[in-house]
Amino acid sequence: MAMNEPVLETSPKVSDEVRKTTCYMCACRCGINVHLKDGKVAYIEGNRDHPVNKGVLCAKGSSGIMQINAPSRLRAPLKRTGPRGSGEFEEISWDEALELATSWLEPIRKSAPEKLAFFTGRDQSQSFTSFWAQNFGTPNYAAHGGFCSVNMATAGIYTMGGAFWEFGQPDWERTKLFMIFGVAEDHDSNPIKMGLGKLKARGGKVIGVNPIRSGYNAIADEWVGITPGTDGLFICALIHVLLKAGKIDLDYLAQFTNAPCLLNAATGTAEEGLLLRDSDDKPLVVDRATGTLQPFDKEGVKPDLAAQIDIDGVTHKTVFQHLADRYLSDDYSPEAVAERCGVSAGRIKAIAAELARVAFEEAFELDQPWTDFRGNRHEKMLGRPVSFHAMRGISAHSNGFQTCRSLHILQILLGTVEVPGGFRFKPPYPKPVEAHPTPHCHSKPDCPLDGPHLGFVRGPADLALKEDGSPARIDKAFTWENPLSAHGLMHMVISNAHAGDPYKIDALFLYMANMSWNSSMNTRGVMEMLTDKDENGDYVIPRIIYSDAYSSEMVAYADLILPDTTYLERYDCISLLDRPICEADAAADAIRWPVVEPDRDVRGFQSVLVDLGARLKLPGFTDEKGDPLYKDYADYMVNHQRRPGIGPLAGFRGNGTETGRGEVNPNQLQRYIENGSFFVEHVPPEAAFYKPWNAGYQDWAVGLGFYDKPQPYLFQLYVEPLRRLQLAAEGHGDRQPPDHLRQQIIDRLDPFPIWYAPLEDAAVDTDAYPVHALTQRPMAMYHSWGSQNAWLRQIHGQNPLYVPTKIWQENGFKDGDWAKVTSVHGEITVPVAHMAGLNENTVWTWNAIGKRKGAWALDEHAPEATRGFLLNHLIHELLPPKGDGLRWSNSDPVTGQAAWFDLRVRIEKAPPPDESQPEFDALKSPVVKGPAIVRQKVTS
Ligand code: SF4
């Protein structure tokens, strides 16, 4: 038989070299081995040694090979020749491009640096881009967090010093009950999938709370198809049930949270509702052993949760007593919230009971001694195997900050944060608010800004306001409208710049942000604002510079294009100063390096910024003689020091063996490359849990340079900075909000989490627009830049509107039908598909599949352009007018988070149009269309 069989090569040689770098097909940042054959990428596999993915690679990651072959890659710098929005450009040299950019930016810096708005999208070099903007001197800098998940990040930092994703993860080895809210796919892509695999293999349980049963919810053991925007109410009901049953961790609350801290009850004073503090400004607790007031961190103190203390005839109670009063209210009983949430009272009680059972009856101990910040030695670590994860689904609502806060309160009441089996922080988190900067906004001609742009407001004094009380920033971040806007409000930049509210700008400089398409609300309106001219015939936004690697829709709306490389052709720094790749057991950072050289006239954007910084003679980029400090971004990664001994990369410093702190090592990048492009430093066993209170962890963190001295802190069930802002709204203090915002601040900035209906519910007639409309992130793609990938397009080449059974039947829909979907702002006509696993009052579609004709080098008849669509056309960046003449942003009033998911629509059957509506004219493409077939032979 063997004689007639053909001889097959079952292990063909696919590469002659392997180069290890870091994936960027999503923000998870797995380690990858890039196999090269004859100098070309032949295939990509996961790096088994890498701390993030341990060899696992997803469909997106392996499709990176098509990303660097994409016809949509920009090929050279471009200068606009036709009208804005036409897509007509000429290719120019880099010298010409950089001279042009300098000629636009230099006068702005010398006269009024705030006239430059510099905003970046999904880049991962924010500590660098913010450093550049700070040296330029403009207050107008932020990344995309304001339209992504700032509610999640900010609520986490203010409550417990960190949130999910980069901040932390479940203890996947030990957790038994995992509850996820508002997550389909996530930035933490492979680790969550690996973790879920471990959990399921152990027989653990997953509860998914999401109106849509997609992504992780599809493998949940229990799915809660909640009504959008009511997660906070549902969580408050869980808290109500747990408090009523006494199923909370009193010992944890007393030791590690501000539950035993005393609130000032002196009614009507400027201190009402603030924490009682000693002369060193430390919050006070009553010591159970002595009955005396003591600073919370005094050695040996045993805080009393039930203490009450009389001072000058006023009785002051603990945070815990106030919290119990709040959530034991019948307003939060399961019966009171069930209908609104679309979850029965019995189910809410059953879920609360399950959380309590696993947290308390399946508690366990690790034989691991540790010492807390009060000097107490503990022989064991107590585990509670319940963990949570949440993301944009609960965040992107106008009530999202308080909803995210309520979830953290639930975690803390169960005693499941930073304990074995629970949720664990990833270094350099946790960090209290006090370890973060406050926002800075004071700009002067020809000077750097007075400090970092973004930060955490402690009270009215930190708001970014000018002397006259008007907003200092173009996006109105850190104002009374949204005081805790720690990531800025990118979704308001173009609208405010166009309206000249609070002022006009001269130049808009964007990186990796598809603002004329899927990254904007009110997409058509944004296109009009970008192309609008004033009475003199000049563009209202005079200059637009844009950097992207691909021919996205935004390219057509810029005057100057600075073409970026792909992630396999560049140096990048995934830094502990920024958004690192740490795991709960280890601090880690990583690099990318050019595993292949670009075959086009493109440059890494960060290197372009280094060059521009030198041409503009920015202080952080030039020495005292005005000579460039750095050759390019790689040079900056090695030689820049943010503080003495602390640079962008923590590994291989000094002589190559120093970690965290150390002198510059000229061979640092080579050491990273030899190590697989990452560096990892493990947390010592005694420091692995209880990180905010663990003396061992605090010392380890100081050694690595996360902070300069130990700073243990308490979790904040009660967020005092919110109360300080409320006090101002009540009339206390010098810095006062405008009258029209006083009640909003008092109502929405409650120091305990509250629930209120999404603001669009109050702004529109919900009988006319009865249906909720959402998007989900596709598991196989990452926003727009994956959806032109030839392999990934095979999975999602178009996106129907998914409709639940009730609405499907009411409208008599059949397969192949189309529907008109109308919001208060606009209408679209799109293909529909039936989905049973969906909240009965919700429709949804995949995010960012729809494309504009002419963009991304796709054929004009590509399904993405003819049947694909965006929900963005239905969403406005402003709420409908209230008749008061003011512009009210469609954002969370605490943080400014874009309220994408508050959208209300009505849906009706429509005759099939030729294409999804609205249709737009095709853009002229600055790149050629892709060939029908791409062949690359990689085996020998
Ligand atoms: S999860 Fe993200 S970073 Fe990891 S392999 Fe997939 S695309 Fe790449």
Side-chain angles (χ1 to χ4, degrees):
M1 186 182 86
M3 286 174 63
N4 296 327
E5 285 294 312
V7 178
L8 293 178
E9 174 54 272
T10 52
S11 298
K13 188 166 178 256
V14 293
S15 59
D16 36 45
E17 189 183 356
V18 177
R19 296 184 170 183
K20 298 183 182 212
T21 185
T22 307
C23 185
Y24 196 16
M25 291 297 286
C26 82
C28 184
R29 298 161 297 178
C30 299
I32 49 173
N33 300 342
V34 180
H35 290 251
L36 299 173
K37 186 89 183 8
D38 303 327
K40 287 190 165 170
V41 178
Y43 93 103
I44 298 172
E45 67 174 344
N47 179 350
R48 288 165 198 231
D49 302 322
H50 200 273
V52 170
N53 57 321
K54 301 175 179 67
V56 173
L57 194 73
C58 78
K60 302 185 289 288
S62 57
S63 302
I65 186 170
M66 299 311 286
Q67 209 74 6
I68 58 155
N69 286 309
S72 57
R73 287 167 304 152
L74 294 168
R75 309 199 66 80
L78 299 170
K79 187 165 107 179
R80 181 172 59 79
T81 53
R84 243 192 227 162
S86 65
E88 293 166 19
F89 291 94
E90 64 175 357
E91 291 193 356
I92 56 174
S93 70
W94 272 103
D95 266 349
E96 197 178 344
L98 292 167
E99 274 167 27
L100 193 57
T102 306
S103 72
W104 293 350
L105 297 176
E106 198 162 41
I108 296 175
R109 183 167 197 272
K110 290 207 180 312
S111 59
E114 73 276 12
K115 298 280 187 177
L116 169 68
F118 176 42
F119 283 75
T120 71
R122 292 185 176 83
D123 86 296
Q124 295 174 349
S125 54
Q126 289 161 28
S127 81
F128 168 73
T129 51
S130 65
F131 180 73
W132 189 92
Q134 194 179 321
N135 278 284
F136 186 89
T138 178
N140 294 318
Y141 164 83
H144 77 288
F147 72 67
C148 186
S149 272
V150 65
N151 273 335
M152 199 84 248
T154 309
I157 294 282
Y158 276 100
T159 309
M160 48 188 205
F164 300 110
W165 185 38
E166 280 133 318
F167 302 96
Q169 64 188 143
D171 181 4
W172 290 117
E173 305 301 326
R174 302 176 186 88
T175 201
K176 292 183 176 170
L177 176 58
F178 178 55
M179 195 164 179
I180 42 175
F181 287 78
V183 186
E185 167 64 317
D186 196 83
H187 300 80
D188 207 17
S189 185
N190 276 340
I192 289 187
K193 295 185 188 82
M194 291 152 64
L196 286 169
K198 284 184 195 165
L199 177 74
K200 288 258 179 182
R202 278 202 311 276
K205 179 172 179 177
V206 178
I207 302 177
V209 182
N210 195 318
I212 306 158
R213 191 160 198 183
S214 67
Y216 303 126
N217 301 280
I219 60 141
D221 301 280
E222 186 172 345
W223 170 62
V224 181
I226 196 165
T227 300
T230 66
D231 304 77
L233 197 56
F234 170 69
I235 294 166
C236 287
L238 293 174
I239 291 172
H240 174 96
V241 175
L242 291 167
L243 279 171
K244 215 163 174 180
K247 295 291 188 184
I248 55 173
D249 191 337
L250 293 171
D251 188 44
Y252 182 95
L253 293 172
Q255 289 191 69
F256 304 135
T257 77
N258 70 0
C261 294
L262 290 146
L263 285 186
N264 192 317
T267 314
T269 69
E271 278 76 44
E272 183 186 359
L274 299 181
L275 300 177
L276 292 183
R277 293 171 182 273
D278 69 5
S279 53
D280 293 330
D281 213 29
K282 288 196 172 167
L284 291 165
V285 298
V286 170
D287 180 21
R288 268 193 287 128
T290 63
T292 56
L293 273 177
Q294 299 292 344
F296 79 95
D297 58 349
K298 189 172 173 193
E299 197 169 331
V301 81
K302 298 203 176 337
D304 184 356
L305 286 174
Q308 296 193 3
I309 190 149
D310 286 339
I311 303 173
D312 298 333
V314 179
T315 303
H316 308 278
K317 297 196 290 188
T318 62
V319 164
F320 181 69
Q321 290 166 77
H322 287 278
L323 179 143
D325 290 346
R326 165 74 61 96
Y327 298 107
L328 284 170
S329 157
D330 285 343
D331 292 348
Y332 294 120
S333 72
E335 289 76 14
V337 310
E339 189 179 343
R340 180 98 211 203
C341 296
V343 186
S344 73
R347 196 150 185 221
I348 295 171
K349 290 177 191 170
I351 291 172
E354 181 71 351
L355 290 169
R357 186 190 68 72
V358 180
F360 298 108
E361 293 174 27
E362 301 206 24
F364 61 96
E365 288 181 334
L366 296 186
D367 282 327
Q368 177 59 61
W370 65 288
T371 302
D372 72 29
F373 66 104
R374 296 188 181 100
N376 301 311
R377 180 83 174 154
H378 303 259
E379 291 309 317
K380 311 256 185 205
M381 290 181 167
L382 175 65
R384 299 209 183 280
V386 176
S387 57
F388 295 83
H389 183 71
M391 214 57 208
R392 200 163 171 217
I394 64 168
S395 179
H397 288 287
S398 54
N399 60 11
F401 173 81
Q402 293 287 17
T403 294
C404 297
R405 278 261 299 136
S406 65
L407 179 54
H408 296 316
I409 299 289
L410 173 63
Q411 292 177 275
I412 293 169
L413 290 174
L414 287 166
T416 60
V417 183
E418 266 304 321
V419 299
F423 171 77
R424 310 177 64 191
F425 288 110
K426 301 176 185 179
Y429 295 94
K431 285 200 279 192
V433 165
E434 292 71 28
H436 293 268
T438 55
H440 292 76
C441 64
H442 296 113
S443 63
K444 284 197 293 200
D446 218 9
C447 283
L449 199 69
D450 57 339
H453 305 81
L454 305 177
F456 289 82
V457 163
R458 280 65 147 164
D462 298 327
L463 295 178
L465 301 173
K466 293 184 175 173
E467 292 290 309
D468 63 1
S470 65
R473 290 175 54 106
I474 188 69
D475 58 358
K476 304 189 187 179
F478 308 111
T479 64
W480 295 106
E481 280 186 48
N482 27 247
L484 307 189
S485 34
H487 292 178
L489 285 81
M490 189 165 182
H491 57 294
M492 295 306 299
V493 171
I494 293 170
S495 171
N496 290 356
H498 178 260
D501 173 19
Y503 47 78
K504 297 265 184 204
I505 59 168
D506 288 339
L508 178 63
F509 190 0
L510 297 174
Y511 175 49
M512 271 178 92
N514 203 10
M515 298 305 285
S516 68
W517 198 246
N518 57 284
S519 294
S520 274
M521 296 170 162
N522 181 21
T523 311
R524 184 192 292 276
V526 169
M527 292 182 224
E528 288 167 3
M529 292 176 211
L530 293 172
T531 52
D532 197 17
K533 293 187 172 174
D534 63 18
E535 57 282 4
N536 301 321
D538 299 323
Y539 286 114
V540 174
I541 299 175
R543 306 279 192 210
I544 301 178
I545 307 173
Y546 183 50
S547 178
D548 198 327
Y550 302 100
S551 176
S552 65
E553 284 86 353
M554 184 61 209
V555 166
Y557 291 87
D559 307 315
L560 175 65
I561 300 294
L562 306 172
D564 195 12
T565 63
T566 71
Y567 69 103
L568 295 174
E569 300 164 318
R570 61 185 298 123
Y571 279 101
D572 255 333
C573 181
I574 298 135
S575 167
L576 286 167
L577 301 178
D578 205 332
R579 306 174 68 169
I581 56 159
C582 304
E583 293 293 298
D585 280 321
D589 60 16
I591 65 162
R592 294 189 187 95
W593 59 288
V595 295
V596 285
E597 289 298 325
D599 57 357
R600 314 164 308 290
D601 193 14
V602 298
R603 295 183 184 175
F605 176 65
Q606 290 73 14
S607 287
V608 170
L609 275 191
V610 168
D611 191 331
L612 274 177
R615 288 169 191 254
L616 291 164
K617 304 254 181 276
L618 303 187
F621 292 85
T622 43
D623 62 20
E624 55 286 350
K625 289 188 282 180
D627 293 332
L629 277 175
Y630 310 109
K631 191 160 55 73
D632 53 21
Y633 190 45
D635 197 24
Y636 168 93
M637 284 160 58
V638 172
N639 289 301
H640 174 70
Q641 296 195 64
R642 200 49 68 89
R643 309 199 303 278
I646 308 284
L649 292 168
F652 312 112
R653 300 193 67 81
N655 62 10
T657 61
E658 291 165 42
T659 293
R661 295 171 192 267
E663 294 302 311
V664 164
N665 173 10
N667 300 318
Q668 193 179 28
L669 293 182
Q670 191 52 38
R671 293 296 309 274
Y672 268 84
I673 291 169
E674 288 162 7
N675 198 51
S677 287
F678 66 91
F679 162 78
V680 63
E681 173 81 8
H682 290 279
V683 178
E686 72 275 13
F689 295 96
Y690 302 98
K691 293 185 182 107
W693 321 293
N694 185 326
Y697 176 79
Q698 296 283 319
D699 291 343
W700 180 81
V702 171
L704 275 174
F706 299 158
Y707 23 83
D708 291 333
K709 63 178 179 19
Q711 43 188 318
Y713 64 96
L714 300 175
F715 283 169
Q716 306 289 297
L717 298 175
Y718 185 86
V719 172
E720 198 180 30
L722 292 171
R723 180 61 196 146
R724 292 199 190 103
L725 293 157
Q726 278 187 324
L727 280 167
E730 290 167 10
H732 299 286
D734 297 336
R735 217 169 201 191
Q736 287 288 299
D739 286 343
H740 71 276
L741 290 172
R742 285 185 193 277
Q743 200 55 48
Q744 173 171 296
I745 293 163
I746 291 167
D747 291 345
R748 308 297 185 218
L749 273 68
D750 197 304
F752 285 123
I754 49 164
W755 184 83
Y756 52 90
L759 299 184
E760 183 156 328
D761 283 11
V764 305
D765 176 359
T766 51
D767 290 334
Y769 303 100
V771 179
H772 300 268
L774 304 175
T775 56
Q776 299 270 287
R777 187 198 306 276
M779 204 157 266
M781 281 181 187
Y782 191 67
H783 303 298
S784 53
W785 83 75
S787 51
Q788 43 88 35
N789 182 295
W791 287 356
L792 298 176
R793 289 183 64 216
Q794 312 304 308
I795 303 171
H796 295 284
Q798 53 186 285
N799 54 315
L801 185 78
Y802 291 101
V803 175
T805 305
K806 189 176 104 186
I807 298 175
W808 186 264
Q809 290 173 347
E810 281 171 359
N811 284 276
F813 283 129
K814 298 189 302 300
D815 282 349
D817 278 349
W818 290 63
K820 184 167 85 172
V821 186
T822 312
S823 74
V824 72
H825 173 58
E827 69 176 46
I828 57 177
T829 305
V830 297
V832 290
H834 176 219
M835 180 175 178
L838 181 54
N839 175 283
E840 65 173 17
N841 210 25
T842 301
V843 295
W844 74 279
T845 192
W846 294 116
N847 197 17
I849 301 294
K851 295 277 169 279
R852 182 152 168 198
K853 287 178 186 165
W856 299 98
L858 295 177
D859 189 280
E860 284 182 18
H861 303 291
E864 288 89 342
T866 55
R867 294 175 64 86
F869 65 92
L870 299 180
L871 274 192
N872 306 48
H873 301 299
L874 301 177
I875 309 172
H876 204 285
E877 75 276 8
L878 299 175
L879 288 171
K882 295 184 183 180
D884 53 11
L886 299 168
R887 303 165 80 240
W888 293 84
S889 164
N890 184 12
S891 306
D892 188 301
V894 183
T895 62
Q897 154 105 49
W900 298 97
F901 296 159
D902 283 3
L903 177 62
R904 289 290 202 135
V905 300
R906 67 169 173 268
I907 178 168
E908 58 208 290
K909 198 166 174 174
D914 292 339
E915 297 182 356
S916 296
Q917 301 294 317
E919 267 180 80
F920 293 88
D921 294 341
L923 298 167
K924 284 200 181 121
S925 175
V927 294
V928 295
K929 293 223 166 43
I933 297 173
V934 176
R935 278 208 183 84
Q936 183 181 338
K937 188 168 187 295
V938 295
T939 55
S940 48

